[in-house]
Amino acid sequence: MSLPVLVIGNKNYSSWSLRPWLLLRHFGVGFEEVRLPLDTPQFADEVLRHSPTGKVPALHDGGVQVWDSLAICEYANERWLDGRGWPKDLAARAMARAAAAEMHAGFVALRTQLPMNSRRTPDAYRWDAAAQRDIDRVQGLWRQLRDAQGNGGDFLCGDFGIVDAMYAPVAVRFDGYGVPVDAVARRYMDALFALPAMREWRAAAAEETESVAATEALRSPL
């Protein structure tokens, strides 16, 4: 049987691609990777062959096509993970799902003003009050999840799962833009960055040569 195919964007810039990629790689699910560089003629020419929305990521597993990050994670959880993507406890699972859905649908100011850029290093660039409210909410949510599960394990609900995959790009943003974080957030980010799959993704991002001008322009004036 052929491997599933995961279509992604640049590892440096595509936050939505990181989420299912990280989940699959962490849990050892084999897949073939098709990378389409964002904001390029190649992307425009090829993406609709892989995704009906014209966006990445998209997963192809035999005759099944899934074209949304969270939906891909849910599919993977049922198809390959035997439910390990969510906590076993009902209450913890409900909180994890709510937090993942909030990430999926919200934090617009954070996404817009601190877009994914894995190669970025902090400078004096700063964001507005709306983005700071998103930043504060994310850290509050991380504390809530950690407190609710008794601080066991290194991740939001103990073991790494879908909710962590959904917030992994936020950790990359906080790191690259120099966002001040509390001790809980720092420990959590360190745990994410220590994952072999996360190190693999970021190493590959560092080797990419493409550049998205609008994202790279978000720098502090010299």
Side-chain angles (χ1 to χ4, degrees), residues 12-13 115-121 123 177 210-220:
N12 191 58
Y13 299 113
M116 173 88 163
N117 187 348
S118 185
R119 293 193 298 260
R120 196 184 196 284
T121 56
D123 57 18
Y177 290 90
E210 301 93 356
S211 180
V212 174
T215 297
E216 295 296 341
L218 295 177
R219 297 280 178 179
S220 175

Side-chain angles (χ1 to χ4, degrees), residues 66-88:
V66 193
W67 56 88
D68 171 87
S69 288
L70 186 53
I72 294 170
C73 290
E74 289 280 18
Y75 178 81
N77 188 52
E78 296 179 359
R79 176 79 164 85
W80 298 293
L81 307 188
D82 193 28
R84 289 176 294 158
W86 295 115
K88 291 181 180 179

Side-chain angles (χ1 to χ4, degrees), residues 35-197:
R35 192 183 73 100
L36 302 180
L38 303 174
D39 290 357
T40 64
Q42 178 189 353
F43 186 93
D45 290 344
E46 298 183 22
V47 67
L48 286 174
R49 293 197 292 108
H50 301 285
S51 171
T53 63
K55 299 178 181 179
V56 290
L59 179 75
H60 298 260
D61 180 32
V64 177
Q65 183 183 40
V66 193
W67 56 88
D68 171 87
S69 288
L70 186 53
I72 294 170
C73 290
E74 289 280 18
Y75 178 81
N77 188 52
E78 296 179 359
R79 176 79 164 85
W80 298 293
L81 307 188
D82 193 28
R84 289 176 294 158
W86 295 115
K88 291 181 180 179
D89 177 75
L90 177 63
R93 190 163 64 249
M95 288 184 65
R97 281 195 162 116
E102 185 173 353
M103 181 70 255
H104 190 265
F107 304 114
V108 174
L110 171 60
R111 298 179 200 275
T112 302
Q113 296 179 47
L114 289 77
M116 173 88 163
N117 187 348
S118 185
R119 293 193 298 260
R120 196 184 196 284
T121 56
D123 57 18
Y125 170 81
R126 285 297 177 265
W127 43 91
D128 69 13
Q132 186 61 49
R133 285 193 294 272
D134 284 352
I135 290 166
D136 294 342
R137 171 58 185 159
V138 166
Q139 293 191 70
L141 187 56
W142 289 355
R143 289 192 300 272
Q144 179 184 2
L145 290 170
R146 293 288 298 159
D147 289 346
Q149 57 85 31
N151 293 323
D154 294 324
F155 299 98
L156 292 178
C157 294
D159 296 329
F160 179 87
I162 291 172
V163 67
D164 302 294
M166 292 300 292
Y167 281 92
V170 177
V172 175
R173 287 173 160 98
F174 285 3
D175 188 53
Y177 290 90
V179 174
V181 297
D182 61 28
V184 171
R186 183 71 265 168
R187 287 193 298 272
Y188 175 55
M189 290 166 60
D190 288 345
L192 283 172
F193 295 150
L195 289 171

Side-chain angles (χ1 to χ4, degrees), residues 1-6 20-33 59-62 72 75-76 79-81 84 200:
M1 183 177 294
S2 61
L3 291 174
V5 176
L6 183 66
W21 189 100
L22 182 61
L23 186 79
L24 292 172
R25 187 69 95 220
H26 175 80
F27 281 101
V29 178
F31 62 93
E32 295 181 13
E33 176 185 308
L59 179 75
H60 298 260
D61 180 32
I72 294 170
Y75 178 81
R79 176 79 164 85
W80 298 293
L81 307 188
R84 289 176 294 158
E200 180 186 349

